[in-house]
mmCIF file of all heavy atoms in Angstrom:
data_model
loop_
_atom_site.group_PDB
_atom_site.id
_atom_site.type_symbol
_atom_site.label_atom_id
_atom_site.label_comp_id
_atom_site.label_asym_id
_atom_site.label_seq_id
_atom_site.Cartn_x
_atom_site.Cartn_y
_atom_site.Cartn_z
ATOM 1 N N PRO A 388 77.758 -45.138 -1.992
ATOM 2 C CA PRO A 388 78.288 -43.987 -1.250
ATOM 3 C C PRO A 388 77.608 -42.664 -1.606
ATOM 4 O O PRO A 388 76.831 -42.568 -2.560
ATOM 5 C CB PRO A 388 79.768 -43.964 -1.644
ATOM 6 C CG PRO A 388 80.054 -45.336 -2.151
ATOM 7 C CD PRO A 388 78.792 -45.785 -2.807
ATOM 8 N N MET A 389 77.968 -41.639 -0.846
ATOM 9 C CA MET A 389 77.346 -40.328 -0.956
ATOM 10 C C MET A 389 77.434 -39.736 -2.357
ATOM 11 O O MET A 389 76.423 -39.246 -2.892
ATOM 12 C CB MET A 389 78.007 -39.366 0.039
ATOM 13 C CG MET A 389 77.541 -37.925 -0.077
ATOM 14 S SD MET A 389 78.357 -36.833 1.100
ATOM 15 C CE MET A 389 80.061 -36.948 0.546
ATOM 16 N N ILE A 390 78.619 -39.745 -2.963
ATOM 17 C CA ILE A 390 78.775 -39.097 -4.259
ATOM 18 C C ILE A 390 77.924 -39.775 -5.316
ATOM 19 O O ILE A 390 77.393 -39.117 -6.222
ATOM 20 C CB ILE A 390 80.263 -39.070 -4.678
ATOM 21 C CG1 ILE A 390 81.064 -38.206 -3.692
ATOM 22 C CG2 ILE A 390 80.424 -38.533 -6.087
ATOM 23 C CD1 ILE A 390 80.543 -36.786 -3.545
ATOM 24 N N CYS A 391 77.749 -41.076 -5.217
ATOM 25 C CA CYS A 391 76.874 -41.785 -6.147
ATOM 26 C C CYS A 391 75.431 -41.304 -6.010
ATOM 27 O O CYS A 391 74.652 -41.357 -6.970
ATOM 28 C CB CYS A 391 76.928 -43.292 -5.898
ATOM 29 S SG CYS A 391 78.558 -44.047 -6.137
ATOM 30 N N ARG A 392 75.063 -40.849 -4.837
ATOM 31 C CA ARG A 392 73.702 -40.389 -4.570
ATOM 32 C C ARG A 392 73.485 -38.941 -4.999
ATOM 33 O O ARG A 392 72.380 -38.580 -5.421
ATOM 34 C CB ARG A 392 73.393 -40.514 -3.068
ATOM 35 C CG ARG A 392 73.387 -41.936 -2.573
ATOM 36 C CD ARG A 392 73.329 -42.012 -1.055
ATOM 37 N NE ARG A 392 73.486 -43.390 -0.624
ATOM 38 C CZ ARG A 392 72.485 -44.257 -0.480
ATOM 39 N NH1 ARG A 392 71.239 -43.877 -0.702
ATOM 40 N NH2 ARG A 392 72.716 -45.498 -0.100
ATOM 41 N N LEU A 393 74.502 -38.104 -4.880
ATOM 42 C CA LEU A 393 74.328 -36.669 -5.083
ATOM 43 C C LEU A 393 74.792 -36.179 -6.448
ATOM 44 O O LEU A 393 74.474 -35.052 -6.833
ATOM 45 C CB LEU A 393 75.079 -35.900 -3.987
ATOM 46 C CG LEU A 393 74.628 -36.182 -2.543
ATOM 47 C CD1 LEU A 393 75.421 -35.315 -1.571
ATOM 48 C CD2 LEU A 393 73.143 -35.976 -2.369
ATOM 49 N N HIS A 394 75.547 -36.978 -7.169
ATOM 50 C CA HIS A 394 76.068 -36.542 -8.467
ATOM 51 C C HIS A 394 74.922 -36.274 -9.444
ATOM 52 O O HIS A 394 73.917 -36.983 -9.461
ATOM 53 C CB HIS A 394 76.994 -37.604 -9.054
ATOM 54 C CG HIS A 394 77.513 -37.233 -10.410
ATOM 55 N ND1 HIS A 394 78.456 -36.253 -10.602
ATOM 56 C CD2 HIS A 394 77.202 -37.705 -11.644
ATOM 57 C CE1 HIS A 394 78.725 -36.147 -11.885
ATOM 58 N NE2 HIS A 394 77.980 -37.000 -12.545
ATOM 59 N N GLY A 395 75.110 -35.245 -10.255
ATOM 60 C CA GLY A 395 74.144 -34.944 -11.312
ATOM 61 C C GLY A 395 73.415 -33.639 -11.090
ATOM 62 O O GLY A 395 73.069 -32.944 -12.045
ATOM 63 N N ILE A 396 73.144 -33.308 -9.815
ATOM 64 C CA ILE A 396 72.427 -32.084 -9.496
ATOM 65 C C ILE A 396 73.419 -30.998 -9.067
ATOM 66 O O ILE A 396 74.339 -31.266 -8.293
ATOM 67 C CB ILE A 396 71.391 -32.347 -8.383
ATOM 68 C CG1 ILE A 396 70.215 -33.143 -8.958
ATOM 69 C CG2 ILE A 396 70.889 -31.056 -7.760
ATOM 70 C CD1 ILE A 396 69.106 -33.407 -7.954
ATOM 71 N N ALA A 397 73.216 -29.789 -9.558
ATOM 72 C CA ALA A 397 74.066 -28.666 -9.160
ATOM 73 C C ALA A 397 74.038 -28.519 -7.642
ATOM 74 O O ALA A 397 73.016 -28.774 -6.999
ATOM 75 C CB ALA A 397 73.587 -27.384 -9.828
ATOM 76 N N HIS A 398 75.170 -28.113 -7.066
ATOM 77 C CA HIS A 398 75.247 -28.093 -5.613
ATOM 78 C C HIS A 398 75.967 -26.865 -5.082
ATOM 79 O O HIS A 398 76.665 -26.152 -5.817
ATOM 80 C CB HIS A 398 75.977 -29.344 -5.115
ATOM 81 C CG HIS A 398 77.436 -29.373 -5.489
ATOM 82 N ND1 HIS A 398 77.885 -29.873 -6.700
ATOM 83 C CD2 HIS A 398 78.553 -28.951 -4.821
ATOM 84 C CE1 HIS A 398 79.197 -29.765 -6.759
ATOM 85 N NE2 HIS A 398 79.635 -29.213 -5.639
ATOM 86 N N SER A 399 75.791 -26.646 -3.794
ATOM 87 C CA SER A 399 76.561 -25.649 -3.055
ATOM 88 C C SER A 399 77.075 -26.313 -1.785
ATOM 89 O O SER A 399 76.500 -27.294 -1.309
ATOM 90 C CB SER A 399 75.703 -24.424 -2.701
ATOM 91 O OG SER A 399 74.644 -24.796 -1.825
ATOM 92 N N LEU A 400 78.163 -25.784 -1.269
ATOM 93 C CA LEU A 400 78.768 -26.330 -0.051
ATOM 94 C C LEU A 400 79.452 -25.203 0.710
ATOM 95 O O LEU A 400 80.310 -24.514 0.161
ATOM 96 C CB LEU A 400 79.786 -27.419 -0.404
ATOM 97 C CG LEU A 400 80.592 -27.996 0.760
ATOM 98 C CD1 LEU A 400 79.688 -28.779 1.702
ATOM 99 C CD2 LEU A 400 81.721 -28.890 0.244
ATOM 100 N N THR A 401 79.050 -25.019 1.966
ATOM 101 C CA THR A 401 79.683 -24.021 2.808
ATOM 102 C C THR A 401 80.768 -24.701 3.629
ATOM 103 O O THR A 401 80.489 -25.597 4.429
ATOM 104 C CB THR A 401 78.661 -23.351 3.744
ATOM 105 O OG1 THR A 401 77.643 -22.723 2.951
ATOM 106 C CG2 THR A 401 79.345 -22.294 4.605
ATOM 107 N N ARG A 402 82.000 -24.291 3.424
ATOM 108 C CA ARG A 402 83.147 -24.906 4.081
ATOM 109 C C ARG A 402 83.271 -24.430 5.529
ATOM 110 O O ARG A 402 82.642 -23.438 5.923
ATOM 111 C CB ARG A 402 84.422 -24.578 3.305
ATOM 112 C CG ARG A 402 84.342 -24.950 1.834
ATOM 113 C CD ARG A 402 85.670 -24.842 1.138
ATOM 114 N NE ARG A 402 86.495 -23.708 1.544
ATOM 115 C CZ ARG A 402 87.672 -23.415 1.010
ATOM 116 N NH1 ARG A 402 88.166 -24.180 0.054
ATOM 117 N NH2 ARG A 402 88.360 -22.375 1.418
ATOM 118 N N PRO A 403 84.077 -25.118 6.339
ATOM 119 C CA PRO A 403 84.271 -24.701 7.732
ATOM 120 C C PRO A 403 84.769 -23.270 7.881
ATOM 121 O O PRO A 403 84.501 -22.620 8.898
ATOM 122 C CB PRO A 403 85.305 -25.711 8.245
ATOM 123 C CG PRO A 403 85.070 -26.930 7.423
ATOM 124 C CD PRO A 403 84.723 -26.420 6.057
ATOM 125 N N ASP A 404 85.488 -22.765 6.857
ATOM 126 C CA ASP A 404 85.995 -21.393 6.942
ATOM 127 C C ASP A 404 84.943 -20.357 6.541
ATOM 128 O O ASP A 404 85.222 -19.154 6.495
ATOM 129 C CB ASP A 404 87.255 -21.222 6.093
ATOM 130 C CG ASP A 404 87.011 -21.467 4.602
ATOM 131 O OD1 ASP A 404 85.838 -21.658 4.198
ATOM 132 O OD2 ASP A 404 87.991 -21.502 3.838
ATOM 133 N N GLY A 405 83.726 -20.827 6.228
ATOM 134 C CA GLY A 405 82.641 -19.921 5.887
ATOM 135 C C GLY A 405 82.482 -19.652 4.407
ATOM 136 O O GLY A 405 81.473 -19.083 3.971
ATOM 137 N N ARG A 406 83.443 -20.063 3.617
ATOM 138 C CA ARG A 406 83.364 -19.836 2.174
ATOM 139 C C ARG A 406 82.412 -20.845 1.534
ATOM 140 O O ARG A 406 82.472 -22.036 1.841
ATOM 141 C CB ARG A 406 84.756 -19.965 1.550
ATOM 142 C CG ARG A 406 84.770 -19.787 0.038
ATOM 143 C CD ARG A 406 86.132 -20.116 -0.538
ATOM 144 N NE ARG A 406 86.126 -20.106 -1.982
ATOM 145 C CZ ARG A 406 87.079 -20.619 -2.748
ATOM 146 N NH1 ARG A 406 88.148 -21.187 -2.173
ATOM 147 N NH2 ARG A 406 87.003 -20.576 -4.052
ATOM 148 N N THR A 407 81.565 -20.356 0.644
ATOM 149 C CA THR A 407 80.628 -21.228 -0.063
ATOM 150 C C THR A 407 81.122 -21.485 -1.480
ATOM 151 O O THR A 407 81.438 -20.542 -2.220
ATOM 152 C CB THR A 407 79.218 -20.603 -0.117
ATOM 153 O OG1 THR A 407 78.715 -20.465 1.209
ATOM 154 C CG2 THR A 407 78.267 -21.494 -0.912
ATOM 155 N N VAL A 408 81.232 -22.744 -1.831
ATOM 156 C CA VAL A 408 81.639 -23.123 -3.184
ATOM 157 C C VAL A 408 80.453 -23.782 -3.878
ATOM 158 O O VAL A 408 79.574 -24.358 -3.233
ATOM 159 C CB VAL A 408 82.851 -24.093 -3.152
ATOM 160 C CG1 VAL A 408 84.060 -23.405 -2.594
ATOM 161 C CG2 VAL A 408 82.532 -25.340 -2.338
ATOM 162 N N THR A 409 80.435 -23.663 -5.182
ATOM 163 C CA THR A 409 79.326 -24.230 -5.965
ATOM 164 C C THR A 409 79.869 -25.085 -7.102
ATOM 165 O O THR A 409 81.033 -24.946 -7.501
ATOM 166 C CB THR A 409 78.427 -23.120 -6.543
ATOM 167 O OG1 THR A 409 79.204 -22.289 -7.433
ATOM 168 C CG2 THR A 409 77.837 -22.262 -5.431
ATOM 169 N N GLY A 410 79.020 -25.967 -7.598
ATOM 170 C CA GLY A 410 79.395 -26.817 -8.723
ATOM 171 C C GLY A 410 78.189 -27.079 -9.598
ATOM 172 O O GLY A 410 77.049 -27.090 -9.117
ATOM 173 N N PRO A 411 78.407 -27.280 -10.893
ATOM 174 C CA PRO A 411 77.291 -27.498 -11.815
ATOM 175 C C PRO A 411 76.758 -28.924 -11.734
ATOM 176 O O PRO A 411 77.397 -29.812 -11.158
ATOM 177 C CB PRO A 411 77.926 -27.233 -13.181
ATOM 178 C CG PRO A 411 79.352 -27.697 -12.990
ATOM 179 C CD PRO A 411 79.706 -27.298 -11.580
ATOM 180 N N GLY A 412 75.604 -29.132 -12.321
ATOM 181 C CA GLY A 412 75.072 -30.477 -12.453
ATOM 182 C C GLY A 412 75.545 -31.091 -13.748
ATOM 183 O O GLY A 412 76.364 -30.506 -14.473
ATOM 184 N N CYS A 413 75.040 -32.247 -14.071
ATOM 185 C CA CYS A 413 75.383 -32.890 -15.342
ATOM 186 C C CYS A 413 74.724 -32.119 -16.495
ATOM 187 O O CYS A 413 73.909 -31.217 -16.276
ATOM 188 C CB CYS A 413 74.913 -34.343 -15.330
ATOM 189 S SG CYS A 413 73.109 -34.535 -15.280
ATOM 190 N N PHE A 414 75.069 -32.491 -17.715
ATOM 191 C CA PHE A 414 74.583 -31.716 -18.866
ATOM 192 C C PHE A 414 73.064 -31.757 -18.967
ATOM 193 O O PHE A 414 72.418 -30.770 -19.336
ATOM 194 C CB PHE A 414 75.222 -32.247 -20.160
ATOM 195 C CG PHE A 414 74.580 -33.488 -20.708
ATOM 196 C CD1 PHE A 414 73.588 -33.407 -21.676
ATOM 197 C CD2 PHE A 414 74.949 -34.740 -20.240
ATOM 198 C CE1 PHE A 414 72.991 -34.555 -22.181
ATOM 199 C CE2 PHE A 414 74.358 -35.886 -20.737
ATOM 200 C CZ PHE A 414 73.377 -35.798 -21.707
ATOM 201 N N ARG A 415 72.465 -32.886 -18.601
ATOM 202 C CA ARG A 415 71.011 -33.004 -18.683
ATOM 203 C C ARG A 415 70.335 -32.122 -17.639
ATOM 204 O O ARG A 415 69.310 -31.492 -17.923
ATOM 205 C CB ARG A 415 70.596 -34.467 -18.521
ATOM 206 C CG ARG A 415 69.094 -34.684 -18.603
ATOM 207 C CD ARG A 415 68.722 -36.155 -18.489
ATOM 208 N NE ARG A 415 68.910 -36.836 -19.755
ATOM 209 C CZ ARG A 415 68.482 -38.080 -20.000
ATOM 210 N NH1 ARG A 415 67.864 -38.780 -19.058
ATOM 211 N NH2 ARG A 415 68.684 -38.640 -21.169
ATOM 212 N N PHE A 416 70.919 -32.071 -16.438
ATOM 213 C CA PHE A 416 70.350 -31.223 -15.392
ATOM 214 C C PHE A 416 70.483 -29.757 -15.762
ATOM 215 O O PHE A 416 69.538 -28.976 -15.598
ATOM 216 C CB PHE A 416 71.051 -31.492 -14.055
ATOM 217 C CG PHE A 416 70.511 -30.678 -12.911
ATOM 218 C CD1 PHE A 416 69.401 -31.108 -12.208
ATOM 219 C CD2 PHE A 416 71.122 -29.479 -12.550
ATOM 220 C CE1 PHE A 416 68.896 -30.350 -11.161
ATOM 221 C CE2 PHE A 416 70.620 -28.726 -11.503
ATOM 222 C CZ PHE A 416 69.504 -29.150 -10.809
ATOM 223 N N GLU A 417 71.655 -29.368 -16.250
ATOM 224 C CA GLU A 417 71.885 -27.962 -16.576
ATOM 225 C C GLU A 417 70.968 -27.489 -17.697
ATOM 226 O O GLU A 417 70.599 -26.309 -17.755
ATOM 227 C CB GLU A 417 73.347 -27.751 -16.973
ATOM 228 C CG GLU A 417 74.318 -27.867 -15.798
ATOM 229 C CD GLU A 417 74.028 -26.887 -14.687
ATOM 230 O OE1 GLU A 417 73.767 -25.703 -14.986
ATOM 231 O OE2 GLU A 417 74.032 -27.306 -13.507
ATOM 232 N N ALA A 418 70.545 -28.396 -18.572
ATOM 233 C CA ALA A 418 69.630 -28.025 -19.649
ATOM 234 C C ALA A 418 68.251 -27.646 -19.113
ATOM 235 O O ALA A 418 67.478 -26.959 -19.800
ATOM 236 C CB ALA A 418 69.497 -29.184 -20.641
ATOM 237 N N LEU A 419 67.953 -28.078 -17.881
ATOM 238 C CA LEU A 419 66.655 -27.771 -17.274
ATOM 239 C C LEU A 419 66.694 -26.505 -16.430
ATOM 240 O O LEU A 419 65.649 -26.030 -15.987
ATOM 241 C CB LEU A 419 66.207 -28.943 -16.386
ATOM 242 C CG LEU A 419 65.989 -30.282 -17.102
ATOM 243 C CD1 LEU A 419 65.728 -31.391 -16.074
ATOM 244 C CD2 LEU A 419 64.826 -30.185 -18.086
ATOM 245 N N GLN A 420 67.890 -25.976 -16.182
ATOM 246 C CA GLN A 420 68.029 -24.765 -15.384
ATOM 247 C C GLN A 420 67.539 -23.548 -16.169
ATOM 248 O O GLN A 420 67.571 -23.518 -17.399
ATOM 249 C CB GLN A 420 69.490 -24.548 -14.991
ATOM 250 C CG GLN A 420 70.067 -25.613 -14.084
ATOM 251 C CD GLN A 420 69.835 -25.301 -12.609
ATOM 252 O OE1 GLN A 420 68.798 -24.769 -12.230
ATOM 253 N NE2 GLN A 420 70.811 -25.629 -11.783
ATOM 254 N N THR A 421 67.084 -22.530 -15.455
ATOM 255 C CA THR A 421 66.690 -21.277 -16.093
ATOM 256 C C THR A 421 67.624 -20.177 -15.605
ATOM 257 O O THR A 421 68.200 -20.259 -14.519
ATOM 258 C CB THR A 421 65.242 -20.900 -15.735
ATOM 259 O OG1 THR A 421 65.161 -20.598 -14.337
ATOM 260 C CG2 THR A 421 64.280 -22.036 -16.070
#
Side-chain angles (χ1 to χ4, degrees):
M389 174 181 64
I390 296 304
C391 298
R392 295 170 187 272
L393 300 182
H394 178 72
I396 287 182
H398 68 274
S399 64
L400 175 67
T401 300
R402 306 190 321 183
D404 62 6
R406 178 188 173 195
T407 297
V408 295
T409 62
C413 66
F414 80 94
R415 180 178 280 190
F416 181 85
E417 289 302 316
L419 298 173
Q420 296 272 36
T421 67

